Amino acid sequence: MASGPRQRTRRQQALQSQGAAHPHPQNVTDPLFRDSAFFDPNDLLQVKYEMLRSVQMEGRAVVDAAQAFGLSRPVFYVTQELFRREGLPGLLPHKRGPKRPHKLTDEALAILAQAVRDAERMLSGEELAALLAKRCGIQAHPRSILRRLLPYLKRQEKKLR
């Protein structure tokens, strides 16, 4: 696919920006990926798919396949389960970490917003943290509270207009 050096560089940048670049492409030793214009050892999605295919279709041992594709056995089994459950989209990189706020929910922010309105002034992060701990039993850093509360207050203000 990627023929010229400029095209390979663009492809590599695209893979990195999407989190789909193989962390150790130099460890991919499978013959398919040697001197091929189509098979790219930098493309983690392609490497994982070919690893699964080699075990499933060619009867290759998991240990051998994982090693030939520069990955570990645990990565093979996780990849196999994701592919079984979700198909090819399961091999795409997933965003790591929490997907949404788990402490500072809209309910907690509503309580804090009401406290700010009752006080008729903006409370400090420390005051808000103490209030949150007392009323909701939630421990959060004062700066995290302010970072989530200020946009919430602006949204509430726009709704009232």
Side-chain angles (χ1 to χ4, degrees):
M1 285 289 205
S3 55
R6 186 176 288 165
Q7 209 171 6
R8 276 193 296 276
T9 301
R10 272 190 257 142
R11 179 183 168 105
Q12 183 62 27
Q13 288 171 341
L15 289 169
Q16 286 175 340
S17 72
Q18 296 298 316
H22 194 305
H24 306 288
Q26 69 280 1
N27 294 347
V28 178
T29 59
D30 189 82
L32 282 175
F33 289 85
R34 244 185 261 131
D35 301 321
S36 173
F38 181 78
F39 293 103
D40 182 0
N42 293 296
D43 188 338
L44 187 58
L45 180 71
Q46 189 178 48
V47 169
K48 284 181 174 183
Y49 180 81
E50 288 301 322
M51 176 181 64
L52 292 175
R53 190 196 58 74
S54 75
V55 170
Q56 184 70 32
M57 303 307 291
E58 298 171 10
R60 196 174 198 174
V62 171
V63 174
D64 296 338
Q67 186 175 17
F69 290 96
L71 300 167
S72 66
R73 276 183 38 248
V75 168
F76 171 85
Y77 290 113
V78 168
T79 302
Q80 184 181 45
E81 176 57 24
L82 286 169
F83 185 73
R84 185 194 63 71
R85 197 173 54 227
E86 301 174 29
L88 202 53
L91 301 185
L92 293 169
H94 297 283
K95 189 175 180 184
R96 295 173 184 235
K99 307 302 181 249
R100 61 183 126 1
H102 57 281
K103 286 185 178 182
L104 299 173
T105 61
D106 283 343
E107 295 82 22
L109 291 173
I111 290 169
L112 295 174
Q114 187 59 49
V116 168
R117 283 191 289 275
D118 291 347
E120 296 180 352
R121 67 176 178 87
M122 186 60 197
L123 301 173
S124 71
E126 289 75 18
E127 291 171 309
L128 291 167
L131 183 73
L132 189 64
K134 182 179 175 187
R135 291 204 187 156
C136 303
I138 297 171
Q139 297 293 321
H141 192 277
R143 182 69 189 117
S144 297
I145 294 169
L146 289 173
R147 200 170 42 244
R148 287 268 298 136
L149 182 61
L150 294 175
Y152 180 85
L153 289 171
K154 286 180 184 175
R155 283 193 309 273
Q156 295 302 311
E157 189 179 301
K158 282 184 181 178
K159 285 182 183 179
L160 295 175
R161 287 184 195 169

